[in-house]
Amino acid sequence: MSWIVLITLIVAVTAFLVWASADVRSGIYLGMLCRTTTHRRVVALTFDDGPDAEETPRVLDVLKRHGVRATFFVVGERIEAHPELLLRMLSEGHTIGNHTSTHTASLPLKRSRTIADEIDRTRTLVTRLTGLRMRLFRPPFGVTNPNVARAVRRTGVVSVGWSIRSLDTMKGDRQRVLERILSHLHPGGVVLLHDRVEGAAELLDRLLVALKAQNYTTATVDELFEIEAYEK
């Protein structure tokens, strides 16, 4: 085998492995609920990385004003700082899911036991505060690999991805973010948003108006996929 062929093969394999880990929809390492097949014009709005002391209340206010329920994938350390926001989410009919305890950038690279411990710590905290034992889980940054997959099996959670990525964490005009979401809109989709970023409530308000104009309704993740959000 020539050096050119060998290098090409190495590059191709590396690119495949990066894609398999970074694309939440790949399903190579871990099966994820990213979209469902339906003729109904319905999408699930999901928020990651909260709760945030400033932005989350504004997001909840917008949802309440529009009569919409969403799914929040919460971070354990942020819950400890703002348990009242978690309780508000539940009292207003939203679904909560697990987004690990620390949400550190290096977490997907750690041992499966460490990742599982982070999932368990957040689940235990939420159970102590609410009496609910969460089943839904979203990996930080949507990254999957064999260790994340083993942690999911160890903890028995249900992994949820997305089919519409807003890229709302990037700096820029919120109108461009809205247009990006709407350009990828489809029935049965799961929209990835963040309730910790500046302007989250403004973006959400515009999005809900646009969805209504296109005759779309919204659902929580458990409603969209017809699954249980909490263990019985």
Side-chain angles (χ1 to χ4, degrees):
M1 182 181 296
S2 70
W3 282 108
I4 294 178
V5 173
L6 179 59
I7 291 173
T8 300
L9 180 60
I10 292 173
V11 170
V13 171
T14 301
F16 172 80
L17 293 175
V18 170
W19 167 77
S21 295
D23 191 333
V24 75
R25 296 165 296 181
S26 73
I28 300 299
Y29 298 117
L30 179 64
M32 307 276 282
L33 298 177
C34 295
R35 62 185 296 170
T36 190
T37 302
T38 180
H39 296 296
R40 295 187 300 127
R41 296 172 74 84
V42 57
V43 293
L45 302 181
T46 66
F47 294 88
D48 283 11
D49 301 359
D52 178 82
E54 294 186 5
E55 297 299 332
T56 301
R58 296 169 184 161
V59 167
L60 290 171
D61 288 344
V62 172
L63 290 169
K64 187 174 183 179
R65 186 166 69 249
H66 285 269
V68 167
R69 291 179 297 134
T71 303
F72 291 83
F73 288 93
V74 295
V75 177
E77 289 184 344
R78 290 179 171 266
I79 295 171
E80 290 181 310
H82 305 290
E84 74 284 355
L85 293 177
L86 178 77
L87 297 176
R88 179 181 171 186
M89 291 172 186
L90 290 170
S91 70
E92 296 181 359
H94 305 293
T95 295
I96 54 174
N98 197 322
H99 205 37
T100 72
S101 180
T102 64
H103 194 276
T104 57
S106 62
L107 183 60
L109 303 178
K110 295 183 178 179
R111 298 183 307 164
S112 61
R113 184 177 294 277
T114 300
I115 300 170
D117 286 345
E118 289 231 2
I119 296 171
D120 280 333
R121 283 205 303 272
T122 300
R123 183 162 53 184
T124 298
L125 174 60
V126 169
T127 300
R128 177 165 57 81
L129 291 170
T130 69
L132 299 172
R133 186 169 172 82
M134 297 182 294
R135 293 184 68 232
L136 305 181
F137 167 69
R138 176 170 282 164
F141 314 104
V143 173
T144 61
N145 57 39
N147 284 348
V148 173
R150 282 191 287 269
V152 166
R153 290 194 295 270
R154 184 190 297 267
T155 54
V157 291
V158 177
S159 300
V160 180
W162 58 79
S163 60
I164 304 169
R165 188 170 191 173
S166 66
L167 300 179
D168 58 343
T169 56
M170 299 177 63
K171 292 183 179 181
D173 182 13
R174 297 295 90 181
Q175 182 61 31
R176 292 184 62 183
V177 177
L178 175 62
E179 291 171 358
R180 182 181 301 113
I181 297 171
L182 297 178
S183 68
H184 292 89
L185 198 61
H186 62 87
V190 178
V191 184
L192 170 63
L193 299 162
H194 296 81
D195 57 317
R196 64 169 175 82
V197 298
E198 184 178 355
E202 176 189 359
L203 171 62
L204 174 62
D205 189 54
R206 294 186 189 181
L207 175 58
L208 290 174
V209 171
L211 289 175
K212 185 176 181 180
Q214 295 191 30
N215 296 315
Y216 267 87
T217 60
T218 62
T220 59
V221 164
D222 46 310
E223 291 172 335
L224 184 69
F225 291 101
E226 299 182 344
I227 58 176
E228 296 292 335
Y230 312 106
E231 295 182 12
K232 293 184 176 179

